[in-house]
Amino acid sequence: MGCDRNCGLIAGAVIGAVLAVFGGILMPVGDLLIQKTIKKQVVLEEGTIAFKNWVKTGTEVYRQFWIFDVQNPQEVMMNSSNIQVKQRGPYTYRVRFLAKENVTQDAEDNTVSFLQPNGAIFEPSLSVGTEADNFTVLNLAVAAASHIYQNQFVQMILNSLINKSKSSMFQVRTLRELLWGYRDPFLSLVPYPVTTTVGLFYP
């Protein structure tokens, strides 16, 4: 009985010591193997998991927009009243779904260059309306012109172009136009080489 107990204690102590030694040896070796695998897979080199996920993300990425719709444009222009706006949204687009193109790796300076195609798909199920929803917003081209060109003579010419194009301080535009661009009638009449398309994400 006493031998069984002593033998069990000795056997337990020996096994514990052996496991402690193996643990002391295997833990650094295991950490080294894990770090080596991680370093190998996170490098942006063709064939690694990181590269594959970087070129084209495996998850859906969304961008949401809320637009401030001006409620009293006439009062603001005629009486200099305080502007009243109504927030409308969200309008949701799925973005970053296109794979990177022209991926070029430079081994000398360890850099990667690429082109990211710019694309967005409207998601009606995650939006309060459609891309055709209209908003009354500030006409950025008209508002900026008077601040950029302070000369009175130039401002007279600009005012005549604004009137000729039937533009005003506020305009009605669709969501699609506001985000992705529209041809501005006032800028189209300016006799200088200026970009005539206006949009938050144009081009």
Side-chain angles (χ1 to χ4, degrees):
M1 198 78 171
C3 181
D4 289 342
R5 185 179 176 193
N6 288 338
C7 290
L9 288 173
I10 292 169
V14 170
I15 292 169
V18 170
L19 289 175
V21 170
F22 272 124
I25 294 170
L26 291 176
M27 280 179 63
V29 173
D31 285 346
L32 191 63
L33 289 171
I34 291 170
Q35 287 177 10
K36 189 176 179 182
T37 304
I38 290 172
K39 284 181 181 177
K40 185 179 178 183
Q41 290 300 324
V42 297
V43 175
L44 287 180
E45 288 181 355
E46 214 164 334
T48 64
I49 295 170
F51 184 82
K52 182 182 176 184
N53 290 333
W54 175 75
V55 169
K56 185 173 183 180
T57 179
T59 57
E60 304 267 328
V61 180
Y62 297 95
R63 177 174 284 172
Q64 293 188 311
F65 299 94
W66 283 262
I67 309 294
F68 289 101
D69 189 19
V70 178
Q71 303 296 295
N72 60 338
Q74 293 302 322
E75 289 85 348
V76 173
M77 289 189 297
M78 303 298 285
N79 307 321
S80 298
S81 302
N82 289 334
I83 195 167
Q84 296 175 3
V85 295
K86 179 181 179 182
Q87 181 177 282
R88 293 167 57 189
Y91 292 89
T92 307
Y93 288 83
R94 182 160 53 95
V95 296
R96 299 285 178 177
F97 60 93
L98 297 172
K100 294 175 176 69
E101 297 175 350
N102 297 346
V103 178
T104 307
Q105 297 185 337
D106 190 331
E108 290 184 13
D109 59 3
N110 294 318
T111 60
V112 180
S113 61
F114 63 93
L115 292 175
Q116 176 68 64
N118 195 9
I121 295 177
F122 186 69
E123 294 288 348
S125 62
L126 299 174
S127 305
V128 298
T130 71
E131 285 188 295
D133 285 1
N134 286 315
F135 298 89
T136 301
V137 295
L138 183 68
N139 188 330
L140 294 177
V142 171
S146 60
H147 291 284
I148 294 173
Y149 303 102
Q150 298 290 332
N151 182 285
Q152 284 187 340
F153 177 71
V154 174
Q155 286 197 359
M156 283 175 54
I157 295 172
L158 291 175
N159 284 336
S160 68
L161 294 176
I162 290 169
N163 292 331
K164 188 176 180 181
S165 66
K166 298 181 181 176
S167 299
S168 66
M169 190 63 71
F170 294 96
Q171 62 180 339
V172 177
R173 293 286 172 190
T174 65
L175 176 72
R176 177 187 284 273
E177 289 175 321
L178 291 174
L179 295 180
W180 314 116
Y182 61 90
R183 191 167 182 270
D184 187 86
F186 160 60
L187 292 177
S188 299
L189 296 178
V190 174
Y192 299 106
V194 295
T195 302
T196 59
T197 304
V198 180
L200 189 60
F201 292 104
Y202 176 84

